[in-house]
Amino acid sequence: MEFSSKYHEETFPDRYASKHSESLARRLNDRREQALLTRCLQRIGEVRSVADIGCGPGRFWPIISGAVRPPAGSKPDLYASDVSESMLHYARQRFDDGLGERFVLASGSVSALPFADSAFDCVVAMRLLHHFGERAARVQALQELTRVAGRFLVVSLWTDGNYKAWRRARLERRRGRRAYQNRFVVPRAVLEGEFRQCGLTPLAHFDLIPGYSQWRFYLLEKKAFR
């Protein structure tokens, strides 16, 4: 995908990781995102393995490793994947407490993940799917995420029904059609229809700031388990 080219730059991971602490608003948003992911993971109960797809600089690794509850007497199997080798290297090195070493890393595109079917009890994909504006590409990514998930999937992305989405739509109308765009608001009805098409049932959703922010978290389950 065209949007992913910048992620391969050697200096980009540090810039991307730093931006979430640049201002008070960004720090508060980051804290809220971490809390919502924790809430989703705690709802699914015991899982043995989790994969962070499109992991970037590993921003959610402390939450994933801390919130996952494996069966008694065992440690969770932690995996992470990103299209950018630079991102993976940065993520592995950024944690001084050895957390990075606990994750098994694999480079690959979300459109063709290098994992077996149902490889993980739970798959996490934060801030990834909003980059896919075309339905076919988004559904392909969703199908791949569903394929490698054993039962549960947690995603965050932009959706409508809030002030920020309304403001962005207004701005896009003023700009007109652009040759390049890398983030998209997907209407909730469209998105949830695509979940069903991919064999996923929404168990819960949480908005970053209800009524204001376009970020929404979905906890999804494969329909085979319903």
Side-chain angles (χ1 to χ4, degrees), residues 193-217:
E194 292 171 357
F195 291 156
R196 291 189 292 271
Q197 177 184 340
C198 294
L200 296 166
T201 299
L203 298 181
H205 67 261
F206 307 101
D207 294 322
L208 189 67
I209 304 176
Y212 178 78
S213 174
Q214 61 240 40
W215 285 109
R216 171 170 284 194
F217 283 59

Side-chain angles (χ1 to χ4, degrees), residues 61-194:
W61 286 5
I63 295 299
I64 291 171
S65 64
V68 171
R69 293 176 291 169
S74 63
K75 292 183 178 181
D77 294 324
L78 304 175
Y79 293 79
S81 177
D82 199 277
V83 71
S84 167
E85 292 279 1
S86 297
M87 280 289 195
L88 291 173
H89 178 75
Y90 181 90
R92 171 62 59 80
Q93 299 298 319
R94 72 180 295 195
F95 297 103
D96 295 333
D97 59 0
L99 174 62
E101 297 297 329
R102 292 181 58 194
F103 280 79
V104 178
L105 307 184
S107 177
S109 168
V110 68
S111 300
L113 292 169
F115 303 115
D117 295 357
S118 302
F120 313 106
D121 294 337
C122 177
V123 168
V124 172
M126 297 290 96
R127 288 178 166 247
L128 177 61
L129 293 174
H130 69 302
H131 289 300
F132 294 84
E134 294 184 4
R135 176 184 173 89
R138 189 170 55 249
V139 168
Q140 182 181 1
L142 267 173
Q143 288 173 334
E144 273 294 276
L145 292 170
T146 304
R147 180 184 66 80
V148 302
R151 183 171 181 176
F152 296 105
L153 177 60
V154 182
V155 301
S156 71
L157 72 171
W158 285 2
T159 190
D160 65 350
N162 53 75
Y163 170 73
K164 292 291 287 291
W166 171 83
R167 190 177 71 174
R168 186 173 182 85
R170 185 181 181 189
L171 177 62
E172 293 299 333
R173 286 195 296 271
R174 289 178 176 176
R175 286 175 172 171
R177 186 171 179 83
R178 292 180 291 163
Y180 172 73
Q181 185 176 345
N182 73 338
R183 293 178 294 176
F184 303 86
V185 173
V186 183
R188 287 172 290 179
V190 171
L191 182 63
E192 292 172 13
E194 292 171 357

